[in-house]
Amino acid sequence: MTATIIKGTEVRDKILEEIEAEVAEIKEKHGVVPGLVTILLGEDPASISYVTAKIKTAHKLGFNEIQESQSPDLSEEALLDLVEKYNKDDSINGILVQLPLPNHIDDKKVLNAIDPDKDVDGFHPVNVGRLMIGGDAIKFPPCTPAGIQEMIVRSGVETSGAEVVVVGRSNIVGKPIANLMLQKGPGANSTVTIVHTRTKDLAAHCKRADILIVAAGVPGLVKPEWIKPGACVIDVGVNRIGEKISEKTGKKIAILSGDVDFDAAKEIAGYITPVPGGVGPMTITMLMKNTLKSLKFKLGIA
Ligand code: GUN
């Protein structure tokens, strides 16, 4: 059996189309568009490339997009002032401070300063709490986990009663996706296990999984024989395993690999995401969805 490949680029295009239509409708009815500010300190190439993609997507959707490119030497106090400025700005519905921040800045302090109702990353403790409570309390699910759930649901994979095994316990992926999948409601209702570096028998847990979500950051960690035949495998790993020359641009680019041996795993799984082109494109998509949601909350139409 060869698995159905879940392409993040296709799911992304569909969701962006839905967002674009909704933005146009809100603009016509209410005369406003979603506003997103992205705050970037310094010139880290990976951060610049994320931020550039975010700006491009926001513009394409008709958002009001503000880019705050600041010096890497900006003081913590000045950054907190900047966050406060956008907390108070009525035209802004989402504030994103690009991580990682320079070492002289306490990132927790900065993330905690963002108004929870503009925290479209879903990293503020209030939004983490809302996610734990579940149901209507959830305002902004973190973008990568929300994207994973969309990919599973839109592929028609049954989640209710499914054994979901999450490999990795990070605050950005492992813990929140586990929380989303165990909630009462459509696209969830799963039985969830989180496994990690101290788990005794990783293989035994993975072999039970109807839905296996791997976010460990270890290339090839999950062996093909650990996959239950027909399972849905979501590979969140983005590991740089070398460099090559791009055929398109002639420039050096990273060779990326996931946490799962894709070629072998696709012969066993029922559904599988590739790396690159799987979960990756979903993060920015869900950021746009959360920003739109923030405006809808404000307008009382969410
Ligand atoms: N850096 C890399 N990914 C992300 C993200 O999703 N949000 C923020 N704020 N910073 C990031």
Side-chain angles (χ1 to χ4, degrees):
M1 184 172 65
T2 300
T4 300
I5 312 296
I6 307 176
K7 292 193 179 124
T9 43
E10 283 176 12
V11 184
R12 170 196 66 194
D13 291 348
K14 182 82 191 52
I15 296 175
L16 290 182
E17 241 174 60
E18 293 165 9
I19 296 175
E20 199 172 0
E22 235 184 304
V23 170
E25 194 185 324
I26 290 173
K27 190 175 178 184
E28 183 161 337
K29 277 197 191 146
H30 300 273
V32 284
V33 295
L36 173 67
V37 61
T38 305
I39 303 174
L40 171 68
L41 268 61
E43 285 166 358
D44 169 55
S47 292
I48 290 178
S49 108
Y50 278 131
V51 167
T52 308
K54 280 169 195 162
I55 298 169
K56 212 171 126 192
T57 309
H59 277 165
K60 197 167 159 275
L61 295 173
F63 284 23
N64 166 28
E65 211 291 324
I66 297 177
Q67 174 53 36
E68 282 280 2
S69 290
Q70 297 285 339
S71 150
D73 302 326
L74 190 76
S75 70
E76 186 178 277
E77 202 187 347
L79 178 56
L80 290 170
D81 285 347
L82 198 58
V83 168
E84 193 47 28
K85 173 181 152 188
Y86 289 107
N87 278 342
K88 288 187 184 141
D89 185 335
D90 251 4
S91 71
I92 292 298
N93 308 104
I95 301 172
L96 182 134
V97 179
Q98 185 67 27
L99 302 174
L101 286 167
N103 287 337
H104 68 278
I105 292 178
D106 177 351
D107 51 3
K108 272 200 202 103
K109 206 168 168 184
V110 175
L111 295 180
N112 291 1
I114 297 173
D115 177 348
D117 291 340
K118 294 189 179 187
D119 167 41
V120 284
D121 256 331
F123 293 162
H124 191 288
V126 166
N127 285 315
V128 176
R130 286 168 170 165
L131 177 61
M132 281 291 280
I133 294 164
D136 290 347
I138 303 178
K139 278 203 157 180
F140 306 118
C143 301
T144 303
I148 293 170
Q149 190 181 32
E150 286 278 359
M151 293 177 98
I152 296 170
V153 170
R154 287 175 188 249
S155 301
V157 173
E158 180 59 80
T159 60
S160 182
E163 290 284 341
V164 171
V165 174
V166 178
V167 183
R169 53 180 160 177
S170 70
N171 287 332
I172 293 181
V173 183
K175 285 190 236 172
I177 187 60
N179 252 303
L180 281 176
M181 298 310 292
L182 65 78
Q183 297 300 333
K184 225 178 225 182
N189 283 324
S190 306
T191 304
V192 180
T193 307
I194 304 184
V195 298
H196 48 78
T197 43
R198 299 295 174 95
T199 297
K200 281 188 186 142
D201 192 346
L202 215 53
H205 286 288
C206 292
K207 282 178 188 173
R208 296 190 284 105
D210 300 311
I211 300 173
L212 181 61
I213 301 169
V214 193
V218 180
L221 174 73
V222 170
K223 310 291 173 249
E225 60 273 21
W226 297 6
I227 295 167
K228 182 174 169 179
C232 172
V233 179
I234 306 290
D235 190 352
V236 194
V238 183
N239 307 295
R240 286 162 197 264
I241 55 164
E243 283 184 335
K244 64 178 180 185
I245 303 293
S246 161
E247 280 174 25
K248 256 196 225 163
T249 62
K251 283 187 187 160
K252 243 193 220 170
I253 53 166
I255 302 173
L256 301 178
S257 155
D259 291 349
V260 178
D261 174 354
F262 178 80
D263 288 330
K266 78 176 192 317
E267 300 305 321
I268 303 163
Y271 299 83
I272 190 165
T273 59
V275 178
V279 175
M282 295 301 295
T283 304
I284 290 178
T285 307
M286 300 316 289
L287 176 75
M288 300 301 141
K289 192 159 174 174
N290 275 349
T291 308
L292 171 61
K293 226 171 150 188
S294 178
L295 173 61
K296 286 165 69 179
F297 281 127
K298 192 173 159 213
L299 295 171
I301 56 170

